[in-house]
Every structure is written in C-alpha cells, then in structure tokens.
C-alpha cells in the first residue's frame, strides 16, 4: 500500500475573524462555495497527475471554518478524491468544526458523506475567555457540540487554548475536567501565541493584551501533561493527547515527514519525487486559487527543497512526537550528520533522549524545541 499519503483541504471562510488568528482566512459573506468546491476538485485532478497512483490514508478539512461547508460539497470532494486515488480501508476523514455550527441534521449528512473524525474548536468552557478570544460560541454550545459530535462520528477531538493572561491552574483544570468529561478520545491543548500581524498583536504593541509569562505558561503546560496522562491519554505530540488508537493520523503524516497534497487557498503540500522533495503553497485568495486551478495545479510556490532544508524540516517535525526521529533517516535525507556534541550535551541536560537510532525530546525538552532544534542542526 506504500507510504501514507494525505490530502489537506483548506476552506478559508470564517463567520468571524478571531483576534489571535494568523491563518489564511476570509470573512464568510454567504458565499455559496460552488466555485471553490469545483476548483478544489479540478486541483485534485492536477495533483493526481503529480502524485501518480497512491493510497490515501487521510483527508483533512481544515481552515478557516470547514463546518461552514455544505455537506454536498464535502461529499463531492471526497468522491472526487476516491475516483482519483485508492483509499486505505481505515482512511481517516477529518473536519474541524466550530461549535456555533453544530447542527444535528447537517452533521448527520457529514457522517454520511464520509467524515469519520471531528475536531471541535471548543477553545474554552469559560464564557469570559471565549469572549476575550473573540469566539462566536459560548460554553453551552461547546458542550452541545461535543455531545452531538460523539453521536455522529466515531472519533472526536476537543481542541482547547491555554495561556491567556490571568489564567490560573484552577481555571485550566476546569477546562480540562470538562474536556475529559465529554468523552472525546483526543484532546489538543494549544498555547495562545500572539502574532504581530493579528488584532491581538497590534493590541499587544499598545500594551492592551498579553499572554501569560514563561513560568506560568510552563506550569499550565505541565498541568495538561499531568492531568491528561493521568486520565489515560498519551502525550504523543507537543500539543496533542490521545487515548490508544485515537491519534490524528493525518497530522502524523506532517510530523513523520510524509507526503500530502494541499488543496484550497493557501494550502501547503509536500511530495517526494525522484528529483527531490517538493514543497508547494496554493494561491492565497479564493479568486486567485479558483482561476489558477483551471490550467494546472493552483500553486503560487513550488520549490524543490535542498537536502539540508528537507533534513531540517524532518528533525523539527520529528522532535514534536514522543517517538522523535530516526537519526539514520536524517543522514540519508540531508547527506550530513547532526551536531554530535550538541546532541550529547542536550542528552546530558535531560532535554533529549536516545533510543537505538531514534532521538526524541523529553517532556522537559518539548518546552524548548526551538532551542534544541537550532543546536542540533548547528
Ligand atoms: S474560527 Fe479559527 S480559522 Fe477562523 S478566525 Fe477563528 S481561529 Fe481563525
């Protein structure tokens, strides 16, 4: 069946633009989405020309807010993909959902279209925090969305954000308690980051908004680890926890350095070819993307990564996973060795651990990944 191959579908529209968001997004103004769906399907055909026959192990609808999509559009895209490639028997087809879009009839149709994993963007169960984050749902809607997701999809993730200014360990415990009580088999706990070009970034420059300080953020991060692993979840990636068998198979393709097509405005893709590993970025605006898909892959960038860049990406991604990365595979990809002195020092400091030819960040090391990666690759 070959190496796992995924398809990422970016649906760029959002009902409201959250002040911390730096994704490629556009305000949803009731666009029907027919033209974008048709362009995504055309683009999949162009991608099939690039990939040749492969077995698709996952499809992920991200955004943006793909829960604004019509179920028939989702079905058309899945059907088009299944006509172009073969599907693995245990294919994961996931979609990111905003609790405000929870609707029994619509989600039943999503399930009928083939969606078998839903990531619910809960963010918090505290109404004040949700208001601060600019979300258009409240805690009751988040709880109802998780209940409805559990009734319609075999696999559910509850996605949370921590690290807003003033958040206490007790506040975070309350969110984690509710996520655990929901029965979701997967929990993502992302730290709030303030990016310069966002509304929060501008407010931060004026001194109006702050994220928590480093020590507080480390304490919140450690609390997630303790609480979720005590509850039987494996901390399999920096920000992700899963009960056995519930990991995101799609995201693991990214972290393990696998191949994936990226369709939809601004989507990224990676493809291993005899000429090297290709990194792609789709045209960013919906209009440019739709136009671009008419004649060939709708790409604004298509670069062959140098062996060094490919190796760097392999290490950066692999260190996010509990299992780390294979050093021999790194040498083969990059044609060079890691900084052995730095690797030994980082192991001695308890930030890295070796197991056979694999190197992984320890729980402590996961909080310092940027520094570790820089040292290892220096
Ligand atoms: S709903 Fe998600 S993608 Fe859309 S603006 Fe908010 S954080 Fe960004």
């Amino acid at each position: 069946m070959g190496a796992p191959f995924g398809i990422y579908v970016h649906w760029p529209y959002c009902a409201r633009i959250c002040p911390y968001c730096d994704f490629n997004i556009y305000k949803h103004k009731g666009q029907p989405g027919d033209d974008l769906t048709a362009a995504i399907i055309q683009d999949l055909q162009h991608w099939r020309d690039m990939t040749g026959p492969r077995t698709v192990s996952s499809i992920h609808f991200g955004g943006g807010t793909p829960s604004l999509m019509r179920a028939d559009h989702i079905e058309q895209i899945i059907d088009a993909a299944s006509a172009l490639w073969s599907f693995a028997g245990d294919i994961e087809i996931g979609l990111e959902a905003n609790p405000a879009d929870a609707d029994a009839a619509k989600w039943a149709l999503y399930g009928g279209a083939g969606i078998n994993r839903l990531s619910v963007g809960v963010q918090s169960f505290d109404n004040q925090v949700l208001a601060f984050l600019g979300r258009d749902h409240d805690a009751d809607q988040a709880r109802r969305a998780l209940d409805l997701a559990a009734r319609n999809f075999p696999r559910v993730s509850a996605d949370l954000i921590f690290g807003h200014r003033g958040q206490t360990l007790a506040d975070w415990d309350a969110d984690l308690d509710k996520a655990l009580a929901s029965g979701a088999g997967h929990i993502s706990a992302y730290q709030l980051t303030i990016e310069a070009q966002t509304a929060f970034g501008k407010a931060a420059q004026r001194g109006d908004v702050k994220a928590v300080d480093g020590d507080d953020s480390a304490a919140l991060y450690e609390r997630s680890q303790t609480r979720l692993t005590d509850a039987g979840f494996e901390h399999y990636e920096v920000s992700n926890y899963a009960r056995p068998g519930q990991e995101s198979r799609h995201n693991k393709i990214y972290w393990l350095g696998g191949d994936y097509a990226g369709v939809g405005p601004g989507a990224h893709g990676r493809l291993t070819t005899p000429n090297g590993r290709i990194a792609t970025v789709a045209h960013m605006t919906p209009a440019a993307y739709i136009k671009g898909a008419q004649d060939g892959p709708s790409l604004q960038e298509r670069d062959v990564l140098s062996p060094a860049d490919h190796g760097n990406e392999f290490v950066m991604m692999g260190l996010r996973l509990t299992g780390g990365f294979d050093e021999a595979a790194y040498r083969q990809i990059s044609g060079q060795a890691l900084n052995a002195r730095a690797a030994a020092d980082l192991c001695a400091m308890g930030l890295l651990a070796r197991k056979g030819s694999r190197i992984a960040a320890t729980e402590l090391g996961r909080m310092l990944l940027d520094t570790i990666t820089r040292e290892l690759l220096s």
Side-chain angles (χ1 to χ4, degrees), residues 1 3-6 55-59 86 88 90-93 249 253:
M1 114 166 208
F5 171 63
T55 300
V56 181
S57 44
S58 66
I59 301 177
S86 55
D90 62 348
I91 186 169
E92 172 183 289
I93 307 184
R249 292 178 208 150
I253 292 179

Side-chain angles (χ1 to χ4, degrees), residues 14 16-18 20-21 23 25 63-65 98 135:
C14 291
R16 195 199 288 200
I17 307 298
C18 304
Y20 57 90
C21 182
F23 296 152
I25 45 169
T65 309
N98 185 344
R135 303 296 308 200

